[in-house]
Amino acid sequence: MHQQMDWNYFDITIGTVMEGDRWHWRATLPTGMTITSNQGYTTPVQAISCARLWIATESMRRAFEGCLVELRDRGIIQGQEFRNLMRSLEKPIQQG
């Protein structure tokens, strides 16, 4: 039997949906926007765990980007340095 799971993580509701024979996570943001994983998982527990990791990683990346923007705007780092640091964040962040 397939059982869907739901979980709340920092006001982001994470649920699981089955597509074919694989589980995907679906995050619903407080704004109502949803994000669904591209990758499928063998269990709903695995999908939820990967969603939590993706959210934490994406949150860190956005916070770091905000700090770099502030440093650039204050003239503490130059434009090229900013671009190099931002490029270093472009490594693919897996959705789990």
Side-chain angles (χ1 to χ4, degrees):
M1 180 174 150
H2 303 296
Q3 182 162 352
Q4 185 174 351
M5 291 183 66
D6 289 306
W7 195 67
N8 191 290
Y9 186 68
F10 295 105
D11 291 330
I12 299 171
T13 302
I14 304 170
T16 56
V17 293
M18 180 159 253
E19 294 180 10
D21 64 344
R22 307 290 286 176
W23 289 97
H24 296 260
W25 57 259
R26 179 171 291 152
T28 303
L29 306 178
T31 61
M33 180 182 157
T34 61
I35 302 168
T36 303
S37 65
N38 295 326
Q39 184 173 346
Y41 306 92
T42 55
T43 68
V45 172
Q46 184 185 30
I48 294 282
S49 177
C50 290
R52 292 176 61 194
L53 176 62
W54 182 82
I55 290 167
T57 303
E58 184 64 16
S59 297
M60 180 279 313
R61 188 191 66 77
R62 288 176 186 234
F64 187 66
E65 180 180 359
C67 292
L68 290 177
V69 166
E70 187 170 328
L71 291 172
R72 183 200 60 201
D73 291 350
R74 290 182 180 189
I76 296 170
I77 62 174
Q78 300 302 312
Q80 185 60 48
E81 190 174 13
F82 171 80
R83 286 186 293 280
N84 291 342
L85 289 166
M86 287 304 300
R87 205 169 296 118
S88 74
L89 295 176
E90 291 176 4
K91 290 184 179 179
I93 297 174
Q94 288 187 334
Q95 292 183 353

